[in-house]
């Protein structure tokens, strides 16, 4: 690789390397990493000013690291070259090459290579942090900037934070007085990452080290204030403001910082403005904004009693006697913060962020929307401002993570539960939702199961096309399986959804076939006798619809308690339940005299006469009268 060649020729060469690395020729990759061309490729991260060359170099390095056959050798060669440039060379350019190459390694998530460069191994190799700190004050400004940028990236890796804290914290603190805003902002970001890490307690020093971290609370707030001022300073370079956004992203894990950002209109407007300006230019800035919004809007995880006990024991083991939750993390404060950011156009900002190609940014956007719609009062505004249009692509199109698609689907499910589906989800939108909602039904999270079933219930109540879509996607067995959940709400939602699905001809036929549906009718009869009112209502509603088929009527009568359960339903105080029971009885009585006689022998006609005399609900009175007339026509009753 000729580093003196024109940019065009270098790009052409790198493209040819990428093609060969992508091929199945592992011999080429092994030869390449042992060549000077590989060293030249690593040097591009520090010496090249071409974004295309750096991007291609990064892509080639990524592909090489994916090849297991050469991975061990590649790591060793890369580590030795980086250490040689940083610790053994006196040339500033080579030092810059090494630091930038190490930053690229950390950005790729290769913790092993990065950590092995930062600390000394058994062969006394590595340990570049000591060398960096020893000579940092003599380095050129560009090199110092790259050092702190590398440390900041390294601190994003759990394994490296302790090393940076032990070796570099004093140096980073001194840089807070620097007049170079870029250096100052990078140092502040790195210090924030160190301060917020609760895993930095050294062995045997738990309580002392924790007290030290707690005592840094004022420093953390001071850093957050610095980030705020840097973001608001429109005269600062975009890199400085992007660093400040990253710092705020980490600082906003703190409840006090969440409140500060949410209740600072000018800061919010400036952050949203930066997203609009940097939409296609600065992924780091966009990611930082997404993290800030996610932190501000995140509800505290609801712990089970078992999880609370485990956390309590862990805190006691760490030397803390009390189990305290910061009140600023309670739902009330989260809801108020959400209302604040919604006032200043967060939906438009989320729309821009959702178009980004980064999967993790899209996942964050999905999670933020889920947070926003958790409070039911926000859903109408989100729909009005185009939130559904943003969410649907996050569910059905490529480019979101699996977890992100779950977040987006759950957000849409919440909207579908409480709003008129015919207004919110028009045309193909409703159809697009069926598959992801069915997928959500099959997850382990019971809340997701319940909400997806409720959403399907509402959607299936509007259009037969949706009911057919559910049927075509094999949704009936999925919904039926949910009826066996240990969770009452999930069982209820599944039964309510099935009740709506009875208006779909293939489902009606499926449940009416005596050869295959005896178990299905048995379950509906059993659920009509359950303690949960809503489940009884849904199950008896399904039976009322199905009982228009004589086969179903016979299956109901064949159940050991079939007639008794209908009698119990008729004796309830709910007109809805009564009406469903009477519809079943009317259809059974219509089959023939023998079936009608079974009902009369059970004295069901007496309760019907009482309901007619009471005359409280017209639909109940009319259906009772029709059924009594059928009994009379069979000669079983005189009216």
């Amino acid at each position: 690789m000729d580093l003196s060649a024109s940019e065009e020729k270098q790009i052409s060469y790198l493209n040819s390397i990428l093609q060969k690395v992508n091929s199945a020729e592992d011999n080429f990759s092994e030869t390449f990493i042992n060549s000077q061309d590989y060293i030249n490729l690593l040097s591009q991260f520090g010496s090249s000013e071409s974004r295309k060359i750096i991007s291609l170099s990064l892509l080639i390095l990524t592909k090489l690291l994916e090849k297991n056959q050469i991975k061990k050798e590649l790591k060793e060669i890369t580590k030795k070259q980086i250490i040689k440039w940083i610790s053994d060379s006196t040339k500033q350019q080579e030092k810059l090459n090494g630091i930038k190459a190490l930053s690229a390694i950390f950005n790729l998530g290769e913790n092993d290579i990065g950590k092995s460069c930062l600390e000394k191994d058994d062969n006394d190799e590595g340990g570049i942090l000591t060398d960096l700190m020893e000579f940092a004050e003599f380095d050129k400004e560009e090199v110092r900037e790259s050092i702190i940028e590398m440390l900041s990236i390294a601190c994003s890796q759990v394994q490296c934070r302790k090393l940076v804290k032990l070796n570099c914290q004093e140096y980073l603190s001194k840089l807070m007085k620097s007049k170079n805003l870029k250096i100052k902002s990078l140092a502040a970001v790195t210090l924030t990452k160190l301060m917020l890490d609760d895993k930095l307690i050294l062995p045997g020093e738990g309580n002392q080290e924790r007290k030290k971290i707690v005592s840094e609370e004022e420093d953390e707030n001071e850093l957050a204030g610095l980030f705020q001022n840097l973001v608001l300073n429109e005269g600062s370079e975009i890199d400085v403001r992007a660093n400040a956004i990253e710092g705020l992203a980490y600082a906003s894990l703190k409840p006090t910082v969440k409140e500060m950002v949410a209740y600072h209109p000018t800061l919010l407007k400036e952050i949203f403005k930066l997203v609009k300006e940097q939409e296609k230019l600065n992924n780091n800035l966009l990611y930082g904004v997404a993290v800030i919004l996610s932190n501000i809007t995140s509800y505290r995880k609801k712990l089970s009693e078992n999880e609370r006990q485990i956390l309590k024991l862990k805190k006691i083991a760490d030397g803390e006697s009390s189990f305290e939750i910061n009140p600023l993390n309670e739902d009330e404060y989260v809801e108020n913060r959400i209302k604040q950011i919604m006032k200043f156009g967060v939906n438009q900002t989320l729309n821009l962020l959702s178009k980004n190609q980064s999967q993790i940014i899209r996942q964050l956007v999905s999670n933020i929307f889920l947070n926003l719609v958790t409070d039911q009062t926000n859903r109408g505004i989100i729909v009005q401002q185009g939130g559904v249009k943003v969410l649907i692509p996050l569910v059905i199109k490529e480019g979101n993570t699996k977890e992100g698609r779950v977040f987006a689907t759950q957000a849409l499910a919440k909207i579908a539960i409480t709003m008129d589906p015919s207004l919110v989800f028009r045309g193909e939108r409703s159809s697009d939702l069926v598959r992801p909602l069915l997928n959500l039904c099959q997850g382990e999270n019971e809340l997701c199961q319940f909400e997806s079933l409720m959403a399907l219930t509402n959607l299936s109540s509007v259009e037969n096309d949706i009911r057919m879509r559910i049927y075509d996607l094999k949704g009936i067995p999925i919904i039926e399986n949910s009826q066996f959940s240990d969770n009452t709400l999930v069982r209820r939602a599944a039964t309510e959804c099935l009740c709506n699905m009875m208006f779909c001809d293939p489902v009606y036929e499926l449940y009416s076939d005596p050869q295959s549906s005896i178990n299905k009718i048995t379950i509906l009869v059993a659920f009509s006798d359950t303690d949960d009112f809503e489940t009884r209502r849904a199950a008896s509603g399904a039976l009322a619809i199905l009982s228009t088929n004589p086969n179903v009527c016979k299956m109901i009568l064949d159940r050991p308690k079939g007639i008794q359960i209908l009698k119990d339903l008729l004796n309830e105080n709910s007109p809805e339940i009564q009406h469903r029971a009477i519809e079943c009885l009317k259809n059974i009585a219509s089959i023939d005299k023998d079936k009608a006689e079974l009902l009369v022998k059970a004295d069901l006609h007496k309760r019907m006469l009482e309901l007619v005399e009471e005359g409280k609900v017209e639909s109940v009175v009319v259906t009772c009268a029709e059924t009594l007339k059928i009994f009379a026509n069979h000669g079983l009753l005189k009216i």
Side-chain angles (χ1 to χ4, degrees):
M1 181 177 181
D2 185 0
L3 296 179
S4 63
S6 66
E7 179 181 349
E8 186 178 341
K9 287 185 177 179
Q10 288 188 59
I11 290 173
S12 176
Y13 172 77
L14 289 171
N15 275 319
S16 68
I17 294 296
L18 182 60
Q19 278 186 324
K20 292 175 182 177
V21 170
N22 275 331
S23 70
E25 298 177 39
D26 287 321
N27 288 340
F28 171 80
S29 295
E30 187 175 358
T31 303
F32 177 69
I33 65 173
N34 282 284
S35 70
Q36 181 60 39
D37 279 354
Y38 176 64
I39 305 304
N40 290 343
L41 180 137
L42 286 177
S43 72
Q44 294 285 14
F45 296 113
S47 60
S48 179
E49 294 181 359
S50 166
R51 286 192 175 187
K52 287 185 178 179
I53 289 176
I54 293 174
S55 295
L56 273 171
S57 300
L58 195 62
L59 187 55
I60 292 169
L61 184 56
T62 303
K63 296 297 182 182
L64 288 169
L65 287 165
E66 289 174 355
K67 292 183 175 288
N68 291 325
Q69 298 91 331
I70 62 167
K71 199 163 189 177
K72 185 176 179 181
E73 186 178 7
L74 174 63
K75 287 183 176 181
E76 194 59 35
I77 292 169
T78 307
K79 171 188 169 183
K80 284 185 176 180
Q81 186 58 48
I82 289 173
I83 292 171
K84 179 180 178 181
W85 275 333
I86 294 176
S87 295
D88 300 340
S89 176
T90 58
K91 296 178 180 178
Q92 288 282 284
Q93 182 58 54
E94 290 190 349
K95 191 171 188 177
L96 184 64
N97 291 348
I99 294 164
K100 290 284 190 180
L102 185 53
S103 291
I105 291 293
F106 276 124
N107 271 324
L108 292 176
E110 284 297 327
N111 300 355
D112 291 343
I113 300 178
K115 185 171 180 286
S116 65
C117 289
L118 297 187
E119 68 175 353
K120 286 190 177 181
D121 59 22
D122 296 337
N123 298 321
D124 204 31
E125 290 183 349
I128 63 166
L129 288 179
T130 305
D131 297 329
L132 284 174
M133 294 302 99
E134 187 174 352
F135 299 105
E137 60 182 297
F138 304 108
D139 289 323
K140 294 192 303 185
E141 201 164 72
E142 183 185 7
V143 174
R144 280 189 288 143
E145 286 179 4
S146 68
I147 290 172
I148 306 160
E149 188 171 19
M150 181 272 291
L151 294 177
S152 178
I153 299 169
C155 281
S156 297
Q157 314 293 342
V158 175
Q159 296 174 319
C160 299
R161 281 197 285 268
K162 186 192 289 188
L163 291 170
V164 175
K165 185 176 179 69
L166 290 174
N167 292 281
C168 311
Q169 187 169 5
E170 185 179 348
Y171 171 68
L172 291 167
S173 298
K174 288 179 181 177
L175 293 178
M176 292 302 296
K177 297 177 182 178
S178 173
K179 293 181 180 178
N180 181 319
L181 282 182
K182 186 172 182 181
I183 286 179
K184 186 175 182 177
S185 63
L186 282 168
V189 171
T190 311
L191 284 169
T192 302
K193 292 178 182 180
L194 295 178
M195 287 180 179
L196 292 174
D197 185 10
D198 61 1
K199 295 182 176 65
L200 291 176
I201 302 170
L202 303 178
E205 299 182 13
N207 294 336
Q208 180 182 355
E209 188 68 13
R210 185 172 290 279
K211 287 176 183 176
K212 182 178 179 182
I213 292 174
V214 171
S215 71
E216 291 170 344
E217 183 80 36
E218 292 182 6
D219 290 338
E220 292 169 11
N221 290 334
E222 185 180 337
L223 287 170
L226 169 65
F227 297 138
Q228 170 190 304
N229 293 334
L230 289 173
V231 172
L232 291 173
N233 184 357
E234 295 185 26
S236 296
E237 294 179 11
I238 191 61
D239 285 348
V240 172
R241 300 178 84 189
N243 291 336
I245 290 288
E246 183 186 4
L248 269 183
Y250 279 90
S252 62
L253 288 165
K254 286 288 194 181
T256 51
V257 180
K258 294 179 188 180
E259 291 283 297
M260 180 273 286
V261 176
Y263 287 91
H264 197 313
T266 309
L267 179 60
L268 283 174
K269 288 177 182 176
E270 195 60 37
I271 289 173
F272 295 164
K273 179 183 172 186
L274 282 170
V275 171
K276 191 173 183 180
E277 292 174 350
Q278 299 294 316
E279 180 189 354
K280 298 178 181 177
L281 301 174
N282 198 317
N283 259 25
N284 289 338
L285 184 146
L286 300 181
Y287 172 73
V289 172
V291 171
I292 291 169
L293 294 175
S294 177
N295 288 340
I296 287 175
T297 61
S298 288
Y299 285 85
R300 180 169 56 83
K301 181 186 175 184
K302 301 293 187 292
L303 300 178
S304 66
E305 186 57 36
N306 188 43
E307 289 172 325
R308 285 178 63 85
Q309 289 301 320
I310 292 172
L311 184 58
K312 188 175 181 179
L313 290 172
K314 182 178 182 298
K315 285 180 172 287
I316 291 172
D318 288 339
E320 296 182 24
S321 58
S322 61
F323 180 78
E324 294 182 3
I325 296 171
N326 192 310
L328 296 178
N329 282 329
E330 295 290 358
D331 289 358
E332 176 189 353
Y333 287 89
V334 179
E335 288 168 3
N336 289 334
R337 287 197 291 268
I338 287 172
K339 290 189 186 306
Q340 284 297 120
I341 66 169
M342 286 188 67
K343 287 180 185 177
F344 298 101
V346 71
N347 281 350
Q348 290 84 346
T349 299
L350 292 176
N351 186 12
L352 294 175
L353 291 171
S354 73
K355 296 174 182 176
N356 191 273
Q357 296 302 307
S358 165
Q359 285 196 336
I360 192 62
I361 289 178
R362 289 179 175 179
Q363 176 182 312
L364 285 165
V365 170
S366 303
N367 189 42
I368 295 163
F369 266 116
L370 177 56
N371 295 335
L372 297 185
V373 301
T374 296
D375 182 349
Q376 186 175 328
T377 61
N378 296 328
R379 295 174 192 173
I381 299 171
I382 290 166
V383 171
Q384 288 171 12
Q385 296 182 353
V388 171
K389 291 180 181 178
V390 179
L391 279 165
I392 287 180
L394 292 171
V395 171
I396 64 174
K397 291 186 178 179
E398 295 296 324
N400 201 352
T401 64
K402 182 179 179 181
E403 191 176 7
R405 286 195 292 273
V406 170
F407 291 149
T409 304
Q410 194 180 359
L412 286 169
K414 287 179 183 289
I415 292 171
I417 289 170
T418 56
M419 301 194 70
D420 185 345
S422 62
L423 298 177
V424 177
F425 306 103
R426 297 178 182 174
E428 293 181 358
R429 289 190 198 171
S430 300
S431 182
D432 287 338
L433 276 180
V434 172
R435 189 187 298 277
L437 286 171
L438 288 172
N439 290 338
L440 206 58
C441 290
Q442 300 174 82
E444 295 182 1
N445 186 301
E446 289 182 337
L447 177 61
C448 288
Q449 293 170 12
F450 170 69
E451 291 180 332
S452 57
L453 286 164
M454 286 292 290
L456 286 169
T457 300
N458 277 9
L459 290 171
S460 62
S461 70
V462 177
E463 297 179 47
N464 192 55
D465 287 348
I466 297 300
R467 293 192 284 269
M468 282 302 303
R469 177 74 170 159
I470 293 171
Y471 176 79
D472 290 340
L473 290 175
K474 315 297 182 188
I476 298 303
I478 294 170
I479 300 167
E480 289 174 336
N481 285 338
S482 299
Q483 285 187 294
F484 296 99
S485 169
D486 292 333
N487 187 299
T488 301
L489 293 176
V490 174
R491 290 199 303 273
R492 175 196 300 172
T495 309
E496 289 176 335
C497 190
L498 280 175
C499 181
N500 280 354
M501 288 301 297
M502 295 308 155
F503 293 106
C504 177
D505 289 342
V507 179
Y508 178 90
E509 291 169 9
L510 177 68
Y511 270 71
S512 302
D513 183 357
Q515 301 300 317
S516 60
S517 60
I518 292 176
N519 289 338
K520 298 179 188 297
I521 298 301
T522 300
I523 292 168
L524 289 176
V525 171
F527 275 25
S528 297
D529 192 37
T530 188
D531 291 336
D532 183 62
F533 171 79
E534 286 83 358
T535 304
R536 288 202 309 280
R537 181 177 61 188
S540 58
L543 288 176
I545 298 166
L546 291 167
S547 65
T548 56
N549 187 299
N551 289 328
V552 174
C553 292
K554 293 172 185 175
M555 285 187 276
I556 293 173
L557 290 176
D558 287 341
R559 297 311 93 210
K561 292 177 62 179
I563 292 178
Q564 183 58 49
I565 288 172
L566 291 176
K567 187 174 183 179
D568 291 341
L569 293 173
L570 194 60
N571 287 324
E572 288 202 30
N573 292 324
S574 164
E576 290 179 288
I577 296 283
Q578 291 170 348
H579 189 231
R580 285 158 170 75
I582 299 164
E583 283 289 341
C584 289
L585 295 168
K586 182 184 76 173
N587 292 327
I588 291 171
S590 299
I591 298 175
D592 56 42
K593 182 177 179 179
D594 290 343
K595 302 295 185 295
E597 192 170 6
L598 290 173
L599 305 182
V600 172
K601 284 181 179 179
D603 292 332
L604 285 161
H605 63 290
K606 293 180 181 179
R607 178 57 178 154
M608 292 185 202
L609 287 167
E610 290 175 2
L611 290 170
V612 171
E613 289 175 7
E614 291 171 5
K616 291 181 179 179
V617 179
E618 184 180 357
S619 59
V620 172
V621 172
V622 170
T623 312
C624 279
E626 291 173 350
T627 309
L628 290 168
K629 187 176 179 181
I630 294 171
F631 290 152
N633 291 339
H634 285 310
L636 300 171
L637 187 68
K638 290 183 180 180
I639 300 178

